[in-house]
Amino acid sequence: DGGITQSPKYLFRKEGQNVTLSCEQNLNHDAMYWYRQDPGQGLRLIYYSQIVNDFQKGDIAEGYSVSREKKESFPLTVTSAQKNPTAFYLCASSASRQGTGNQPQHFGDGTRLSIL
Amino acid sequence: GQNIDQPTEMTATEGAIVQINCTYQTSGFNGLFWYQQHAGEAPTFLSYNVLDGLEEKGRFSSFLSRSKGYSYLLLKELQMKDSASYLCAVVDNYGQNFVFGPGTRLSVLP
């Protein structure tokens, strides 16, 4: 079945350590997104990518980095510069691209990141 | 700037009807989505509005007024499984950026 796979489900980070969250989709979607969700809050956009080898900063990109070397994959690295990384991280994809109309986002099951 | 408002929490009784409101002020508008999110899970798509009016989909309906910057999600014949957070998201002019509201946590009581 087509879908979005995020791994790991739970991740622990030590102080000063970089960690990478995986996101893979087999929906053949052009656009992919990373969101952060804090308890009781809505989703805040970290980065998004409309096409391979191109990505844009969202509202809270500081302390994060991404790459989009393949259409199927959009990994997120939480760097040591992100001082408050504890949150629920959601990856999404959609078939939308500029000029093709809006399509809903499909979400992965999320990765819960905590600080040791 | 971008600003989307939703009530933080709502409570309703099983079998009843509930309306969840969303108001928005964004730099552009190219459509509005509603998502349902159960605690600790991924959001799932419910409905999409780009033109003014009502979109009906089974027990769920969504309404949009672009001139007022206002949308609502209407849930009929509430069931216990409808207890969840409901997220409103506005798409910007280029269809590339989804701006999410804070979500409304709905509790359905027996």
Side-chain angles (χ1 to χ4, degrees):
Chain A
D1 286 351
I4 300 180
T5 303
Q6 288 187 242
S7 62
K9 194 172 179 67
Y10 298 94
L11 186 59
F12 298 92
R13 195 193 88 169
K14 294 180 181 177
E15 294 285 345
Q17 186 181 48
N18 292 356
V19 291
T20 297
L21 284 60
S22 170
C23 178
E24 303 278 331
Q25 55 100 357
N26 59 4
L27 299 166
N28 199 33
H29 285 170
D30 288 306
M32 296 187 75
Y33 307 79
W34 273 105
Y35 293 93
R36 170 182 171 138
Q37 187 174 35
D38 292 283
Q41 304 291 314
L43 277 63
R44 290 186 292 167
L45 182 66
I46 305 173
Y47 269 98
Y48 66 99
S49 168
Q50 294 290 314
I51 197 168
V52 174
N53 292 323
D54 185 56
F55 48 83
Q56 307 295 327
K57 291 183 179 180
D59 299 321
I60 55 165
E62 187 174 347
Y64 300 97
S65 66
V66 293
S67 62
R68 186 87 188 275
E69 297 176 2
K70 298 186 300 182
K71 188 175 185 177
E72 302 80 20
S73 180
F74 192 41
L76 173 75
T77 297
V78 184
T79 74
S80 57
Q82 173 49 246
K83 298 305 179 189
N84 184 24
T86 297
F88 187 47
Y89 289 87
L90 284 160
C91 178
S93 72
S94 79
S96 292
R97 198 148 54 91
Q98 191 171 356
T100 65
N102 288 325
Q103 300 294 324
Q105 291 180 319
H106 298 256
F107 287 85
D109 288 335
T111 293
R112 199 166 295 279
L113 176 63
S114 302
I115 292 292
L116 285 178
Chain B
Q2 317 267 54
N3 187 48
I4 301 180
D5 284 322
Q6 299 179 239
T8 304
E9 292 190 33
M10 298 184 71
T11 303
T13 305
E14 195 174 12
I17 299 173
V18 72
Q19 178 175 311
I20 301 174
N21 296 326
C22 171
T23 57
Y24 62 89
Q25 293 172 310
T26 54
S27 55
F29 180 84
N30 198 27
L32 186 146
F33 288 89
W34 283 96
Y35 290 86
Q36 179 191 61
Q37 186 181 25
H38 286 99
E41 297 182 8
T44 55
F45 167 70
L46 289 178
S47 69
Y48 171 64
N49 295 73
V50 66
L51 299 176
D52 290 351
L54 189 69
E55 294 284 339
E56 297 189 77
K57 202 186 257 189
R59 292 191 300 116
F60 294 1
S61 303
S62 57
F63 172 83
L64 175 68
S65 169
R66 288 171 296 171
S67 62
K68 295 182 180 176
Y70 168 69
S71 173
Y72 67 72
L73 181 69
L74 193 71
L75 291 74
K76 303 176 187 175
E77 301 169 15
L78 280 173
Q79 302 174 10
M80 300 298 288
K81 67 179 182 180
D82 296 330
S83 292
S85 288
Y86 291 86
L87 307 175
C88 165
V90 173
V91 186
D92 68 13
N93 268 339
Y94 299 101
Q96 296 181 21
N97 193 6
F98 290 67
V99 182
F100 280 82
T104 298
R105 192 174 324 130
L106 173 66
S107 299
V108 179
L109 305 177

